[in-house]
Amino acid sequence: MSTFFWVSYLILWLLVIPLVILNLVLFRQLGIMIMGTARGVNQSGIPVGKRLPVATTFHIDGTEWSTDELLGTSALILFGSPTCRECAEILPDFHRIAELNQVKPVLMLFSTPELASDYVRKIQYNDDVYIVSSELAHHLDVQVTPFAYAIDPRGVIRHKGLVNSRDQLESYMKSTRVS
């Protein structure tokens, strides 16, 4: 075979190997950004050990609410959506587990007040529900649902990330206790 063939063959392999590596990196990033894998999502958000920043939003009835109101109380802020299947699966346990652990449940929905009211009535959720605007989501660095922040009475984040099961809800609730 000619020298030209072997040189071109070698050059092609030198191009293919980096392209394969690049594709693997891109698929990993795609999984983190699009599929919302726990590893990628748990790296986002306000870091554990930091105070929850002061932010305001509105209750579904239109009254203003601030994260400052959580000071002095252990709380679990759960971000959900009426279109989130996983949210609908864990919401029935949310209030019950919070009550057992003496933690204030704070449900924040990515929704309009009207849609949120219909949704909580449909699932028979009786605790307070707040609306998440894009500004609030950006301020609190929440990108997917169901995402949660476990807050201790001093307003410090003790746990954060995706919450897809009853066991995860319980571990988040228990992490709000101050040592």
Side-chain angles (χ1 to χ4, degrees):
M1 300 210 154
S2 71
T3 307
F4 174 76
F5 171 80
W6 287 111
V7 170
S8 64
Y9 186 77
L10 180 65
I11 290 172
L12 284 174
W13 273 109
L14 289 175
L15 292 173
V16 166
I17 291 172
L19 287 174
V20 168
I21 293 169
L22 180 63
N23 277 329
L24 292 174
V25 170
L26 288 174
F27 280 129
R28 181 181 179 277
Q29 285 301 109
L30 181 69
I32 289 171
M33 291 174 17
I34 304 300
M35 303 304 281
T37 60
R39 181 176 175 200
V41 172
N42 286 342
Q43 291 173 356
S44 68
I46 301 162
V48 171
K50 299 279 185 182
R51 287 185 57 96
L52 183 69
V54 176
T56 58
T57 189
F58 292 93
H59 188 276
I60 57 173
D61 68 8
T63 58
E64 191 173 72
W65 179 84
S66 172
T67 55
D68 271 348
E69 295 179 31
L70 297 176
L71 288 176
T73 311
S74 293
L76 184 68
I77 302 174
L78 179 64
F79 294 86
S81 168
T83 59
C84 170
R85 182 178 45 88
E86 291 85 6
C87 301
E89 290 172 5
I90 63 171
L91 277 177
D93 295 325
F94 184 52
H95 174 78
R96 190 172 341 114
I97 294 170
E99 195 173 63
L100 288 173
N101 288 281
Q102 299 173 342
V103 173
K104 178 172 178 54
V106 178
L107 177 59
M108 297 195 149
L109 292 178
F110 287 88
S111 177
T112 64
E114 299 79 23
L115 185 60
S117 294
D118 291 342
Y119 177 68
V120 296
R121 191 172 23 270
K122 178 181 152 194
I123 64 168
Q124 299 176 351
Y125 184 80
N126 297 321
D127 275 329
D128 292 331
V129 178
Y130 306 95
I131 303 302
V132 180
S133 65
S134 58
E135 296 84 23
L136 180 71
H138 179 70
H139 190 65
L140 296 179
D141 198 10
V142 176
Q143 300 168 12
V144 296
T145 61
F147 189 88
Y149 284 119
I151 313 296
D152 72 13
R154 296 176 300 207
V156 175
I157 297 169
R158 293 293 168 199
H159 205 341
K160 67 168 182 160
L162 286 175
V163 180
N164 291 318
S165 70
R166 180 186 171 93
D167 292 337
Q168 286 178 320
L169 273 175
E170 288 176 347
S171 72
Y172 276 50
M173 300 276 185
K174 290 176 183 170
S175 72
T176 63
R177 296 188 185 119
V178 179
S179 313

